[in-house]
Amino acid sequence: MCWNASYALLLLFSTAVTWLGGLALWKLSVIDLNESKKTSLRKLCVAVSFILNLSILFFYKYFYFVTDNINFVLKAFNLKTYEPAFDIILPVGISFYIFQALSYTMDIYRQQVEVEKNFAKYALFVSFFPQLVAGPIERSKNLLVQIEGMDKLKLLNYERVRDGVLLMTWGLFQKIVIADRIAIVVNQVYDNYHSYGCVELVTAALLFSFQIYCDFGGYSNIAKGAAQVMGIQLMDNFRQPYLAENIKDFWRRWHISLTTWFTDYLYIPLGGNRKGKLKQNRNILIVFLCSGLWHGAAWTYVIWGALHGCAQILGNILGNIKKERNAALGILVRIFKTGITFGIVTVLWVFFRAETIGQAFGYFAQMLRYKRLQTFEAMGLGYADWIVLIAALFILFMIDIMHERGIRLRRELYKRNVFFRGFIYLCIVWSILLFGIYGYQYDASQFIYFQF
């Protein structure tokens, strides 16, 4: 509301529609009606809730995209184009809270959760502030159930607050020490890619993979930590995504809340993998096209989603071709597959980061042209900043490796004496204050996923 007071009405409208829809679905399930008629009315309630909410999303997020594409076709036939007489600014977090509200409608329809009759509690579920604007996209069977039991929570709990603050601190480290430092390089290179050669362009592409991971993963950790301080456990949104062995595995680890949302509410209703390989591949492609569009109203996102879908389909086909391998080579095979997967994901991130399709292909074309290697300072960071960045990325990599092996640093830290723990806490805070990218005359980088 501080940004645009009227847009709070959209959040209120989505909340009211899905809450009333849930009440209607509950009422229809208990009244005495013909089963066929009851089923039809329940489906109508779901349809109304989805149509009203998705219409809001379409208007604010995709109206210009559709209009621009229609005008492109009209121009090709020398016909008069349409120019909107109004401006639309995308409301912050609209994709996240609408999907969260719609999940409640579907969960009530499937009778997976109890109906929430208290509007204030339901409104808290939809607008819970730590994850409102950039997720994770929570489910009613997790968050709403916890809200119902909030009266049983102890107001102050040292272990809970300590764990939450540490998680928030790690999120801050990811965001302002790693992601915002990388943003300086990525913005410099992408905005002037014609001036750079293969080494600089590949470096920027690789760094963007870590920028978006630390930016979005950092936000998710801050949100999860803030909620934990208040006694709420949000779902994990990331699980070492760049250690995935294939694209399918990557999407089990990346933006988990969105992946599971599309799986539960689109992929499975389309038939999932129950109707043969051909339809399964069709369903995968539809899901990834929708995922691309969810991320942004631009063809770059559509292509990004489509290519991820094709990569997963290809991975499924190749995975069905069984090959024997020596167990001793297992670790080498895994490292190789992880490297290939990371390379594919990094290449596809170029479409995600580029502002236009032309810029994406221009970026790839520039990689093939010989250009004398410039100093790394010419990419926007000084020598000392590069050292800090490399050290921070090494820390990130080691922590992900340990988490992958089931080692939780917080648990190990808690086993140490209070003086050692205090020293480590001070070092973490000191490193953020000293090495964080922020302050006077710094053009702060917004969280990337705020725009979605």
Side-chain angles (χ1 to χ4, degrees):
M1 288 186 69
C2 289
W3 176 65
N4 190 324
S6 61
Y7 278 3
L9 296 176
L10 296 176
L11 176 60
L12 178 61
F13 178 78
S14 178
T15 303
V17 166
T18 49
W19 180 69
L20 291 171
L23 288 177
L25 287 168
W26 167 73
K27 196 69 176 176
L28 286 169
S29 67
V30 297
I31 62 174
D32 186 21
L33 264 181
N34 175 276
E35 201 61 39
S36 176
K37 188 175 182 181
K38 185 186 292 188
T39 301
S40 297
L41 287 172
R42 282 168 56 79
K43 287 182 178 179
L44 179 62
C45 284
V46 173
V48 169
S49 180
F50 268 71
I51 289 169
L52 289 175
N53 279 278
L54 293 179
S55 295
I56 294 171
L57 186 61
F58 172 83
F59 179 75
Y60 282 96
K61 191 166 183 175
Y62 303 104
F63 180 79
Y64 284 141
F65 176 65
V66 172
T67 301
D68 289 344
N69 282 281
I70 291 174
N71 285 339
F72 178 81
V73 175
L74 293 175
K75 283 181 182 177
F77 291 95
N78 293 318
L79 297 173
K80 185 179 179 182
T81 59
Y82 168 72
E83 296 298 331
F86 47 84
D87 293 324
I88 301 172
I89 301 174
L90 182 66
V92 173
I94 189 170
S95 300
F96 288 92
Y97 67 71
I98 282 183
F99 268 37
Q100 184 156 311
L102 288 177
S103 73
Y104 171 77
T105 299
M106 282 303 299
D107 289 345
I108 291 292
Y109 174 75
R110 295 173 176 177
Q111 298 182 335
Q112 294 177 338
V113 294
E114 294 291 327
V115 68
E116 179 52 70
K117 298 175 185 177
N118 185 315
F119 181 73
K121 287 185 177 180
Y122 178 71
L124 175 57
F125 158 70
V126 178
S127 62
F128 187 54
F129 80 87
Q131 45 83 232
L132 172 64
V133 292
I137 303 168
E138 269 297 346
R139 305 298 185 81
S140 49
K141 45 195 168 186
N142 179 38
L143 180 55
L144 190 54
V145 169
Q146 292 184 71
I147 289 172
E148 283 286 353
M150 282 184 70
D151 56 325
K152 302 180 183 68
L153 280 175
K154 184 180 177 183
L155 182 61
L156 291 176
N157 180 294
Y158 169 73
E159 287 79 13
R160 188 185 75 210
V161 173
R162 176 198 61 194
D163 289 354
V165 170
L166 273 175
L167 194 55
M168 291 173 70
T169 305
W170 172 237
L172 283 168
F173 182 88
Q174 288 178 290
K175 169 61 178 170
I176 69 172
V177 176
I178 302 178
D180 286 358
R181 181 170 269 102
I182 291 176
I184 296 170
V185 175
V186 171
N187 294 341
Q188 171 71 18
V189 174
Y190 269 83
D191 291 346
N192 307 279
Y193 67 91
H194 289 297
S195 304
Y196 295 97
C198 180
V199 174
E200 295 96 328
L201 295 173
V202 170
T203 300
L206 288 169
L207 286 178
F208 181 71
S209 295
F210 292 103
Q211 180 196 352
I212 194 167
Y213 174 33
C214 290
D215 191 284
F216 192 22
Y219 179 89
S220 297
N221 283 328
I222 294 169
K224 198 168 185 294
Q228 191 169 345
V229 168
M230 296 180 286
I232 298 292
Q233 291 289 339
L234 299 181
M235 68 182 296
D236 290 328
N237 216 14
F238 291 88
R239 195 177 65 253
Q240 301 82 248
Y242 292 146
L243 298 180
E245 293 187 47
N246 52 58
I247 296 298
K248 185 176 183 178
D249 188 26
F250 172 78
W251 281 101
R252 290 196 193 106
R253 299 161 174 265
W254 178 275
H255 204 345
I256 297 169
S257 62
L258 181 67
T259 302
T260 53
W261 196 100
F262 274 120
T263 300
D264 291 345
Y265 305 123
L266 183 58
Y267 178 71
I268 291 175
L270 284 171
N273 57 1
R274 302 188 304 275
K275 299 183 178 180
K277 292 293 181 184
L278 190 61
K279 288 188 176 179
Q280 179 189 5
N281 292 337
R282 178 207 65 184
N283 296 340
I284 289 171
L285 198 55
I286 290 172
V287 166
F288 276 99
L289 284 170
C290 291
S291 177
L293 267 176
W294 179 91
H295 280 85
W299 285 110
T300 49
Y301 296 113
V302 176
I303 291 175
W304 172 77
L307 290 174
H308 265 282
C310 292
Q312 180 161 324
I313 291 168
L314 181 61
N316 289 342
I317 294 170
L318 295 176
N320 292 329
I321 304 172
K322 294 186 178 180
K323 298 179 181 179
E324 293 184 7
R325 71 186 187 196
N326 191 314
L329 296 176
I331 185 66
L332 296 177
V333 171
R334 181 176 181 183
I335 291 171
F336 176 76
K337 289 167 69 176
T338 299
I340 293 295
T341 302
F342 176 69
I344 293 170
V345 170
T346 295
V347 168
L348 298 186
W349 279 135
V350 173
F351 288 99
F352 190 96
R353 174 59 179 78
E355 295 180 5
T356 64
I357 296 174
Q359 187 189 40
F361 283 110
Y363 194 96
F364 289 125
Q366 187 67 16
M367 286 183 181
L368 304 177
R369 294 175 186 157
Y370 173 76
K371 211 169 186 69
R372 188 173 63 84
L373 178 65
Q374 301 184 41
T375 62
F376 281 98
E377 284 87 346
M379 297 173 69
L381 284 184
Y383 178 76
D385 274 313
W386 279 107
I387 297 296
V388 171
L389 178 57
I390 292 168
L393 287 174
F394 177 76
I395 292 170
L396 174 73
F397 178 71
M398 293 306 297
I399 288 176
D400 272 6
I401 289 289
M402 284 187 279
H403 284 174
E404 186 72 5
R405 299 183 65 179
I407 302 170
R408 289 292 179 265
L409 288 180
R410 282 185 296 174
R411 292 177 195 164
E412 296 300 319
L413 185 60
Y414 299 156
K415 296 175 184 177
R416 304 297 186 266
N417 65 62
V418 66
F419 297 105
F420 181 81
R421 293 201 308 270
F423 174 73
I424 295 297
Y425 298 155
L426 285 174
C427 286
I428 295 171
V429 173
W430 173 79
S431 66
I432 292 172
L433 293 174
L434 184 63
F435 299 121
I437 301 294
Y438 61 92
Y440 178 65
Q441 290 187 333
Y442 169 63
D443 185 15
S445 295
Q446 277 281 20
F447 286 97
I448 293 173
Y449 267 69
F450 275 17
Q451 64 186 298
F452 307 136

